[in-house]
Amino acid sequence: MARIRTTKKLAQRIDLNYFKRPSAWKRAKLWISLIPPVLALVWVTGQGFSRDSRIYSSGRMSLAHSVLENQCATCHVPQAGGFSAKAADTACLSCHDGPVHHTDQVKSLECASCHSEHHGRVNIRAASDRACAECHGDLKMQAGAAIYAPHIRSFEDGHPQFAAVRAGSIDPGTLKLNHAIHMQPIRRGPNGPIVNLDCGDCHRSAAVKSKWTYEDVRYTTMEQTYSEAEEIRVVNADTLTPHAPRTDRELMAPVQFATACASCHLLSFDERFEEGVPHDKPEVIHIFVVKKLQDYIAAHPGEVRVIRDPDRDLAGKPLLPEVRILTPAEWVPERTAEDEELLWRKTCNQCHILKNVPQTEANAATLAASPAMAVSGALVRLGDALNPAPGVTRTAIYLPEVAASNTTARWMPHARFDHDAHRGFTCVSCHPNALTSTESKDVLLPGIAICQTCHAPGLDRAESRCSECHTYHDWSKRQEVTPKFTLPALRSASR
């Protein structure tokens, strides 16, 4: 007879206490659930006895503060069971002096509003755009209207065109230069070879010490009576001073005649001499010319016999005799007047703006009374000529006035820029207008669109945060703080 299989009979075969019996898997789960908490408790207890407070930290410190990573009390106020969640400004200012951004700013932000810690080994000075937009997204001043763009949220959103290249901007410099000609194949000197100039042949930062391609040793070793500071255009003195010191690789140094121009642009003044005049003030040039001519006529006395050159006869002016016999005291002033006529009206005028250029006749008439000729017919020392003794009239020399170069060394005073960080790119990549500029008044700086081709959000783009170019604290108004750490204690605590 077949067995009858019912549900009830099948259920009676199941052991309802199976989960109460121990097994290898159950023992493994028990140990897995007990061991980690026990180890964690032991670790926390050990850290407490060792006074290592890093276990309470919400993340690693920035690179600048990494040495304080296990010293929470340095920045956070100790409280019952731990430390304050936020570092107070007084803790930051005990080591750092943060001068205000602008004295008329409306909002007064806490240090931690812009500089957040515990985000790993990051540059804590690089504040987020959101922090800057707290004020500049809707800029308001305590009194009056804002002089800056009032709605800047980021470099890509609301940032205006750079002031230096806005419509109507011109270069205030007085030097005459045609970039387009110099960027093409050009002849080096009157009879020299054809050369192709590179931007680096004229423009370099002050820290670069390598030899210049077209320098002239005679001029690089020659002392000048004018200083570079006299030729530099002074920028806005209210500009915020950055914290980091300059390395002299950020900006291009002013172009120097001795290193960039002298090899091609000769300062010749007389066919009797191969060397040119110094690149200096008219007073110095005048003394140089007179001295050279005095020495020459003393060595060649026969040249006091002057034969009139028919090619130099000018309509409306009386003709000189065919042959004239001059004394050295007459020959030197006459030759000086002719040589300086060439210098003032052609050679120097090619690059500089000259004011009150003397006429040849007037210049020749006054040269005989110049300080350079006043002492026994011989040239006086340079110091005596520029600062004559009582009774000697310096104004007797009728010389032109050279306009100051007014060279702009820093075009963007409200921003930081580092040419050294961009040295991998060709100059014309950012300054394409240099290839076509024919006027010295043209501003050849790149516009914001060129910068935004690289500086933009994204993994394949360069940093574009506000802090990349701008500074917040005015470090020219910083105050010194009292040191509070000792090196041995800091070293032992950081282990």
Side-chain angles (χ1 to χ4, degrees), residues 279-296:
H279 185 259
D280 214 313
K281 296 180 179 180
E283 298 95 320
V284 178
I285 295 175
H286 169 71
I287 295 173
F288 176 86
V289 171
V290 172
K291 180 65 167 63
K292 294 294 291 186
L293 291 174
Q294 284 181 333
D295 293 344
Y296 180 84

Side-chain angles (χ1 to χ4, degrees), residues 223-227 230 279-284 382 386:
E223 294 186 3
Q224 299 169 333
T225 60
Y226 65 91
S227 65
E230 297 179 66
H279 185 259
D280 214 313
K281 296 180 179 180
E283 298 95 320
V284 178
L382 176 60
L386 299 182

Side-chain angles (χ1 to χ4, degrees), residues 310-334:
D311 295 334
R312 298 178 63 88
D313 294 341
L314 299 178
K317 291 189 177 183
L319 295 179
L320 297 175
E322 289 288 342
V323 178
R324 292 179 298 142
I325 305 298
L326 305 177
T327 64
E330 295 172 334
W331 184 87
V332 171
E334 183 174 304

Side-chain angles (χ1 to χ4, degrees), residues 27 135 137 173 188 205 216 295 314 339 350 386 390 409 421 437 459 489:
R27 286 191 294 270
C135 294
R188 181 181 177 183
S205 62
D216 191 320
D295 293 344
L314 299 178
D339 290 344
Q350 186 175 2
L386 299 182
S437 171
L459 297 177

Side-chain angles (χ1 to χ4, degrees), residues 53-61 69-70 72 76 83 117-118:
S53 56
R54 286 180 294 179
I55 60 174
Y56 307 109
S57 175
S58 58
R60 302 190 72 185
M61 300 280 282
E69 196 157 78
N70 62 345
C72 300
H76 298 273
F83 297 92
E117 267 294 357
H118 301 292

